[in-house]
């Protein structure tokens, strides 16, 4: 924004100079106005000297000669009658005709520009006795429009641009701080209230941002506390029902009731754990993302699972995140891959949109394309379509929901897709802001 404002100001200043030069410099004049007045006056004086007796006139004109001017008394004019017309010639003829009371055919003027600063100005004036006073002078020519523009634009614009740059930078400082804070909030970080500084508009935006962040934080805290309280209160009736189920005489009905109550207990415990982790304010810090993937794989292999990391780099990849939160998302995806696809393969690389991508692949049967989003809903399980193993009560359908919540808290996204590399299986893709 600062560059755009400075560019717009620069264009405006240059346009103003160009318009001024078009009105002042490029009006058809070639001789500097002061020099033209002097040349005209010198020619008028020479005409008056030429009106003296011939011998006296020649002597006076010779004495007036110098390096910048030559005056002679001749029988004919040095300027042809069909000389080129121009604004300078017209101004000189008009002024001489007015001051010397001469007819138009008694005044001839020609102008030849030698270079950017000098020219040849010839003025021929007819005396009353029919002779001609011929003058050759070298007036100071007005500069071409490019020369004053090269001088006036830097002199007038550079100080203005410097002042405007410092002023705009001061104005945009709170806006940049606001953008940085918004980016951190999008990653799920806790940001201290921003100082309310700058122009009135920037102060209003900053105040609105601080108020918005307070309301969002209060809403999330209230929701998390309510979820935790409900889940905690469900423990008592579940425990009571478990005790009552033990008194049932029918063994088949008793086993079914206990299995259902165990599933409910696991669901409540997972919900409590999710609420606890969501409410915990983990500090954001910089870690090595390659090392995080290796840690997850090592922990999984320690439990006897087939988990590998592909294309691990020895070069550290620094990344600011909440490590425990992000590690939980990866662990849930790996658990899901091992449970349904027997093994998991992780890979880290750059995505096509400039984001970092973490892939977690398995060799399972995959998921129907129309149900890829459905599995992210809490307590949704697609066991008949994916699992070849007997379902256990510990899997309640919260793993993918928690994983997506953790990734979105970092400003990223989590998507599932069936593998298209000629092998069966599912691929979970985590996209994180670079």
């Amino acid at each position: 924004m600062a560059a755009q404002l400075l560019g717009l100001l620069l264009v405006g200043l240059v346009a103003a100079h160009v318009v001024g030069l078009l009105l002042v410099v490029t009006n058809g004049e070639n001789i500097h106005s002061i020099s033209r007045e002097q040349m005209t006056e010198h020619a008028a004086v020479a005409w008056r000297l030429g009106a003296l007796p011939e011998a006296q006139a020649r002597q006076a004109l010779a004495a007036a000669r110098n390096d910048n001017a030559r005056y002679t008394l001749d029988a004919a004019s040095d300027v042809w009658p069909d000389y080129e017309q121009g604004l300078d010639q017209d101004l000189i003829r008009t002024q001489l005709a007015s001051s010397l009371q001469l007819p138009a055919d008694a005044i001839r003027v020609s102008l030849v520009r030698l270079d950017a600063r000098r020219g040849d100005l010839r003025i021929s004036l007819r005396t009353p006795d029919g002779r001609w006073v011929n003058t050759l002078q070298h007036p100071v020519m007005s500069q071409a429009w490019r020369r004053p523009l090269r001088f006036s634009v830097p002199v007038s614009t550079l100080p203005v641009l410097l002042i405007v740059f410092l002023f705009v930078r001061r104005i945009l400082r709170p806006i940049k701080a606001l953008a940085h804070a918004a980016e951190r909030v999008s990653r799920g970080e806790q940001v201290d209230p921003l100082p309310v500084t700058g122009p009135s508009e920037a102060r209003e935006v900053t105040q609105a941002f601080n108020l918005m962040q307070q309301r969002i934080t209060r809403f999330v805290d209230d929701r998390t506390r309510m979820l935790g309280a409900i889940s905690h209160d469900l423990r008592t009736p579940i425990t009571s029902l478990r005790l009552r189920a033990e008194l049932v005489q029918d063994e088949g009905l008793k086993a079914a009731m206990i299995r259902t109550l165990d599933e409910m207990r696991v669901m409540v415990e997972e919900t409590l754990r999710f609420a606890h982790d969501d409410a915990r304010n983990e500090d954001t810090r910089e870690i090595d993302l390659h090392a995080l993937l290796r840690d997850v794989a090592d922990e999984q292999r320690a439990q006897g699972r087939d988990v590998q990391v592909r294309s691990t780099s020895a070069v550290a990849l620094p990344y600011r995140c909440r490590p425990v939160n992000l590690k939980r998302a990866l662990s849930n995806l790996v658990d899901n891959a091992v449970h349904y696809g027997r093994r998991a393969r992780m890979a880290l690389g750059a995505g096509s949109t400039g984001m970092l991508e973490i892939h977690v692949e398995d060799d399972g049967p995959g998921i129907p394309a129309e149900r890829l989003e459905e599995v992210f809903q809490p307590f949704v399980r697609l066991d008949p379509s994916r699992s070849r193993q007997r379902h256990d009560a510990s899997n309640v359908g919260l793993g993918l929901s928690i994983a997506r919540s953790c990734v979105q808290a970092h400003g990223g996204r989590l998507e599932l897709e069936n593998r298209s590399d000629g092998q069966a299986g599912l691929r979970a893709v985590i996209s994180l802001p670079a």
Side-chain angles (χ1 to χ4, degrees):
M1 183 176 180
Q4 293 177 355
L5 290 176
L6 290 175
L8 182 62
L9 177 62
L10 179 60
V11 171
L13 289 173
V14 172
H17 281 79
V18 170
V19 172
L21 289 170
L22 289 175
L23 295 176
V24 177
V25 177
T26 59
N27 57 2
E29 299 180 23
N30 290 309
I31 304 177
H32 194 280
S33 58
I34 297 178
S35 181
R36 185 179 60 245
E37 294 291 335
Q38 292 177 345
M39 302 296 104
T40 303
E41 184 178 350
H42 293 168
V45 172
W47 181 84
R48 293 187 178 94
L49 293 176
L52 297 173
E54 182 176 355
Q56 187 178 358
R58 293 183 183 279
Q59 183 180 2
L61 291 174
R65 182 173 180 174
N66 54 52
D67 294 337
N68 197 45
R70 186 184 68 189
Y71 309 99
T72 60
L73 183 62
D74 303 308
S77 171
D78 283 349
V79 182
W80 293 97
D82 56 347
Y83 56 89
E84 182 181 355
Q85 299 294 323
L87 182 59
D88 287 301
Q89 293 92 317
D90 292 341
L91 291 173
I92 293 173
R93 283 194 306 105
T94 301
Q95 187 171 352
L96 288 174
S98 175
S99 61
L100 300 178
Q101 300 299 314
L102 294 176
D105 60 352
I107 304 173
R108 298 180 184 179
V109 184
S110 72
L111 176 64
V112 177
R113 189 170 194 135
L114 300 178
D115 53 37
R117 297 293 296 171
R118 299 178 72 253
D120 279 349
L121 175 64
R122 296 178 182 272
I123 302 176
S124 293
L125 302 173
R126 190 175 62 197
T127 61
D129 58 2
R131 293 173 298 177
W132 288 85
V133 175
N134 294 314
T135 70
L136 173 59
Q137 303 178 82
H138 303 292
V140 177
M141 308 299 288
S142 61
Q143 301 179 27
W145 67 271
R146 298 180 185 84
R147 295 176 61 87
L149 193 63
R150 287 201 302 265
F151 172 78
S152 61
V153 169
V155 169
S156 60
T157 58
L158 290 180
V160 174
L161 289 178
L162 178 60
I163 295 173
V164 171
F165 172 76
L166 297 176
F167 185 71
V168 170
R169 185 178 179 183
R170 177 178 175 273
I171 293 177
L172 296 182
R173 187 178 295 117
I175 298 179
K176 289 183 178 180
L178 179 62
H180 180 65
E183 193 272 337
R184 292 179 58 193
V185 170
S186 69
R187 292 172 175 257
E189 299 184 30
Q190 293 292 330
V191 179
D192 295 332
L194 298 177
V196 181
T197 59
S200 58
E201 293 80 3
R203 292 198 299 269
E204 292 176 2
V205 174
T206 304
Q207 289 174 346
F209 176 82
N210 290 336
L211 181 60
M212 177 196 69
Q213 186 182 3
Q214 292 174 4
R215 289 175 176 174
I216 291 176
T217 302
R218 184 167 60 249
F219 169 77
V220 172
D221 291 343
D222 292 344
R223 186 208 63 175
T224 303
R225 282 194 295 269
M226 180 184 66
L227 182 62
I230 293 175
S231 300
H232 183 272
D233 292 343
L234 285 175
R235 282 179 166 179
T236 300
I238 290 175
T239 303
S240 177
L241 287 174
R242 176 63 185 268
L243 294 175
R244 292 170 186 261
E246 295 290 345
L247 301 177
V248 175
Q249 299 298 324
D250 189 334
E251 293 297 329
L253 178 61
K254 175 181 176 180
M257 292 177 64
I258 291 177
R259 185 167 58 251
T260 301
L261 290 172
D262 285 342
E263 289 185 0
M264 293 178 62
R265 176 183 56 79
V266 172
M267 292 172 64
V268 170
E269 290 177 353
E270 286 294 317
T271 303
L272 275 173
R273 188 158 66 96
F274 173 65
H276 172 71
D277 290 343
D278 191 50
R280 180 174 54 196
N281 293 325
E282 182 186 357
D283 292 333
T284 300
R285 58 188 177 89
E286 189 174 281
I287 64 166
D288 178 9
L289 208 52
H290 288 298
L292 181 65
L293 266 65
R294 289 193 293 267
D295 289 344
V296 172
D298 292 342
E299 292 177 2
Q300 294 287 334
R301 284 195 296 268
Q303 302 177 40
R305 297 176 175 179
D306 185 2
V307 179
Q308 300 293 331
V309 181
R310 295 175 178 169
S311 303
T312 55
S313 174
V315 180
L317 178 59
Y319 189 75
R320 285 186 58 81
C321 65
R322 294 184 298 286
V324 175
N325 197 265
L326 187 57
K327 186 176 182 180
R328 185 181 183 190
L330 287 171
S331 299
N332 285 0
L333 292 176
V334 171
D335 286 341
N336 197 65
V338 172
H339 181 80
Y340 293 107
R342 298 186 302 276
R343 66 174 186 166
R345 296 293 180 265
M346 292 187 293
L348 172 63
S352 58
T353 59
M355 303 182 75
L356 293 175
E357 286 189 356
I358 302 175
H359 293 186
V360 180
E361 299 178 350
D362 62 43
D363 295 334
I367 297 177
E370 65 275 8
R371 306 195 68 182
L372 287 174
E373 281 296 320
E374 183 181 350
V375 295
F376 286 109
Q377 299 178 11
F379 308 116
V380 171
R381 294 173 296 186
L382 304 179
D383 298 322
S385 63
R386 297 199 74 213
S387 181
R388 297 181 180 178
Q389 307 174 13
R390 182 179 62 84
H391 173 66
D392 58 88
S394 63
N395 182 21
V396 297
L398 275 177
L400 290 177
S401 301
I402 294 173
R404 172 171 273 190
S405 176
C406 294
V407 172
Q408 290 178 341
H410 285 81
R413 61 177 183 271
L414 171 60
E415 298 173 338
L416 296 179
E417 58 184 31
N418 290 303
R419 294 173 63 180
S420 58
D421 53 3
Q423 300 183 16
L426 191 70
R427 178 185 296 114
V429 181
I430 297 177
S431 301
L432 296 171

